[in-house]
Amino acid sequence: MLLTPLPLADPGSPDLSSPLAFLRWLQRGQRRGQVLSTCWALLEMGGQAALPVPLGWGVQAAVDADAAGIWRAGALAVLLSVVSVLGTVLLHRQAVWNWIHAACQVRQLVARQASHLGAGLSRRIATGEVVAVGSGDVERIGWYVELVARVRAAVIVWLAVSTAVLVAEPVLGLGVLLGVPVLAAAVWPLIGPFERRYEQQRTLGGKATELAADTVAGLRVLRGIGGEELFLERYRAASQKVRAAAVRSARLWSLMQAQQVLLPGLFVVGVTWYGARQAAAGELAVGTLIAVYGATAFLAAPLRILGEAAHAWSVARVSAGRAVRVLSLSRTTGTAEAALDRPGDCDLFDPETGLSARAGELTAVVCGDPDFAGALAERLGGHVPVAEGEPQPPSVRLGGTDLDAVPLAEARAAVLVHDKEPVLLSGTLAGLFDIPSSGRVPVAEALAATRSDDVLDALVDGSPDCAGDPLRARITERGRSLSGGQRQRLALARALLADPPVLVLDEPTSAVDAHTESRIASGLRETRAGRTTVVFATSPLLLDQADRVVLVRDGRAVAAGRHRELMRTEPAYRAVVTRDEEPVRAPAGAGGRGAAGAAGAGRAAEGTRGGEGGRAATGGRVATAELEEPV
């Protein structure tokens, strides 16, 4: 059997109009595998269904003292057994291939979607939900896709057996022909309730997975503030809800399983009882009775497959619906025909907020709402994910060209959005910095700009086999061996190394102390000199280095200028930067005092950076008393 190498070169473009359409699309993608699986299932079940015929002939030959008939019946029984075994082996191989092919195809589609949407995916769908779709759901979808071929074969064999029995004994044949569909349909009333219970279990499981992932990610912080027991109790409660939902689902599933054993058994008993009465009355030969009994007893196998199909359909439809939900998310639509000309020399403008970042300048953006700041930073990169039915926001423009009308790869090359929680993949430091870049900024300069000397020392100390070369040092999964500030500086160095025409940074120094932040602010300005840079921040140390600061309030850009100027003239700006609850308006004619007040406010804001109290109100940042300690 020829096997297709996995992963697939192209998982294709799925039909996302409905869960059923998506499942049908997966089946069409493996037509050859489905046909082969159906053929091998026919070979297996056909051999098993026909086996009672030579057995009946053999018994009848023994009754008639026909030795040659016994040998012929035995030879035919051996042949059918060999055919059935061969079909079983080939069916198993092909069924497993179909299952893995469908599961791998869905997993590739989800991975491609996650790569396409980037950080915007987690803003639309919970991380635990995405993980559940890419793990458990793909297995259930693959199970259903594989099972369809066996259902086809079961129906064909049932029709063949019913026809044969109908010819041999019309009354019994009619009972077999009509009884099997009734038995198969008996399980369907339970499918709806089971599907609802399973969907509830699936939803609760996704929430528990998300809670567990969040707890593990912030475990060190939770220990620092004594919150382990609180989150442990929350997870216990969530897991108990999942357990209770699973028990409710299992009760219905066990009832469905019991039906698949009890009802076919009663049916076989009834057919056998009627045939035995006819044989006792001399109306039916003993050999024929045995053949009819064997064929009827065999029909329990197709009935089990139909019952399995009912279960597979109920869980696969739920799983397919969730997969469709993830795969249906799309970025803002556009013609994708426009092209960017010298993006580094163009202004970046967001028509929804009125925010404008001038070409070649370092622009700082101050928002009172950290969640809105993160969404705005994402939108500045263009091609923002939009769920089906949501209104499409106006596209961000770079030099008069809509970024949504530019091919995604070109838009990403022009504007790089650095997330506030970047991920460091495991590997060497050289691998971390092996990214597409302009070549203008060397690795050493990017590391120097982010003041990462202590980070390099920590990596060398933790990697004895690197022979003192920091680039050969190993980074653990997600950089967990480093502190929060160290991880943040490595990620910022990677962004500076890429040196895109436009760089958008969302709170790039939220986990470092004030002294290090001041040095990073200077290094950032020097490294990005002449390049367009947008920094979302509320730190006076970063704001003071910006060529221009823009205040965004209530979703609109309401003021712009230099940091010190805005501190004097804009009470709302001063309230955000100094963490005041209410804006305090400077008295008229207090220019000198306003300047002094701004300086004092800057010092006050810096004074809060040793702890998290002042920072939590502006960005949900996480830190301990010593920010450079592991977080």
Side-chain angles (χ1 to χ4, degrees), residues 90-105:
L90 294 176
L91 172 63
H92 180 73
R93 286 171 55 88
Q94 189 62 54
V96 171
W97 184 92
N98 291 349
W99 189 332
I100 294 177
H101 184 278
C104 183
Q105 190 172 13

Side-chain angles (χ1 to χ4, degrees), residues 9-234:
D10 179 14
S13 300
D15 184 349
L16 303 177
S17 57
S18 68
L20 180 58
F22 178 65
L23 293 173
R24 287 174 175 170
W25 176 82
L26 288 173
Q27 295 168 24
R28 291 195 300 270
Q30 46 177 248
R31 288 189 181 91
R32 180 176 178 273
Q34 289 286 319
V35 170
L36 287 177
S37 187
T38 303
C39 291
W40 305 144
L42 286 173
L43 203 62
E44 177 198 29
M45 288 188 285
Q48 294 175 359
L51 191 58
V53 174
L55 292 179
W57 289 352
V59 171
Q60 190 63 46
V63 172
D64 298 338
D66 183 4
I70 295 176
W71 282 106
R72 287 193 298 270
L76 181 58
V78 170
L79 177 61
L80 290 175
S81 299
V82 171
V83 169
S84 180
V85 169
L86 180 62
T88 301
V89 173
L90 294 176
L91 172 63
H92 180 73
R93 286 171 55 88
Q94 189 62 54
V96 171
W97 184 92
N98 291 349
W99 189 332
I100 294 177
H101 184 278
C104 183
Q105 190 172 13
V106 177
R107 188 172 284 116
Q108 282 187 251
L109 289 170
V110 173
R112 184 178 69 180
Q113 180 77 335
S115 175
H116 179 67
L117 297 180
L121 177 60
S122 60
R123 298 183 187 275
R124 302 289 178 177
I125 295 181
T127 304
E129 184 75 6
V130 179
V131 171
V133 170
S135 54
D137 284 337
V138 298
E139 298 297 328
R140 297 178 180 91
I141 292 172
W143 174 33
Y144 173 78
V145 172
E146 172 273 320
L147 188 60
V148 170
R150 288 192 284 139
V151 170
R152 294 194 194 100
V155 172
I156 294 174
V157 171
W158 158 65
L159 292 175
V161 170
S162 300
T163 302
V165 177
L166 189 63
V167 171
E169 180 57 41
V171 176
L172 289 176
L174 188 61
V176 171
L177 185 63
L178 300 179
V180 170
V182 173
L183 295 178
V187 74
W188 286 99
L190 298 177
I191 291 180
F194 174 79
E195 188 174 316
R196 288 191 293 272
R197 293 187 182 188
Y198 177 75
E199 185 170 7
Q200 183 184 21
Q201 174 193 344
R202 175 66 181 70
T203 301
L204 293 173
K207 292 180 179 178
T209 302
E210 182 182 6
L211 178 60
D214 291 344
T215 303
V216 171
L219 187 58
R220 294 183 180 180
V221 177
L222 291 176
R223 287 176 176 171
I225 62 177
E228 312 102 300
E229 289 301 324
L230 174 63
F231 274 79
L232 180 59
E233 288 301 322
R234 288 179 60 187

Side-chain angles (χ1 to χ4, degrees), residues 2-9 97 101 104 108:
L2 297 178
L3 299 181
T4 301
L6 297 175
L8 303 173
W97 184 92
H101 184 278
C104 183
Q108 282 187 251

Side-chain angles (χ1 to χ4, degrees), residues 468-491:
D469 184 3
L471 292 180
R472 294 173 55 190
R474 302 290 301 181
I475 299 176
T476 58
E477 181 185 359
R478 302 180 69 91
R480 297 192 186 280
S481 61
L482 301 173
S483 71
Q486 289 172 334
R487 290 195 299 269
Q488 198 171 58
R489 282 180 282 163
L490 280 184

Side-chain angles (χ1 to χ4, degrees), residues 323-335:
V324 166
R325 182 184 170 210
V326 173
L327 298 176
S328 295
L329 290 176
S330 62
R331 293 184 175 270
T332 49
T333 57
T335 59

Side-chain angles (χ1 to χ4, degrees), residues 263-276:
L263 296 183
L266 293 177
F267 178 68
V268 171
V269 170
V271 171
T272 305
W273 174 80
Y274 179 78

Side-chain angles (χ1 to χ4, degrees), residues 397-476:
R397 295 198 291 267
L398 184 59
T401 302
D402 288 353
L403 277 181
D404 293 340
V406 176
L408 179 60
E410 187 176 347
R412 282 183 169 175
V415 183
L416 172 62
V417 178
H418 182 266
D419 193 71
K420 76 169 57 176
E421 295 180 0
V423 176
L424 303 181
L425 300 179
S426 59
T428 63
L429 185 60
L432 178 69
F433 289 150
D434 185 15
I435 59 174
S437 65
S438 67
R440 188 180 70 93
V441 180
V443 173
E445 183 178 338
L447 290 170
T450 57
R451 307 302 188 255
S452 301
D453 294 341
D454 63 315
V455 185
L456 300 182
D457 293 339
L459 289 175
V460 170
D461 292 342
S463 302
D465 56 343
C466 72
D469 184 3
L471 292 180
R472 294 173 55 190
R474 302 290 301 181
I475 299 176
T476 58

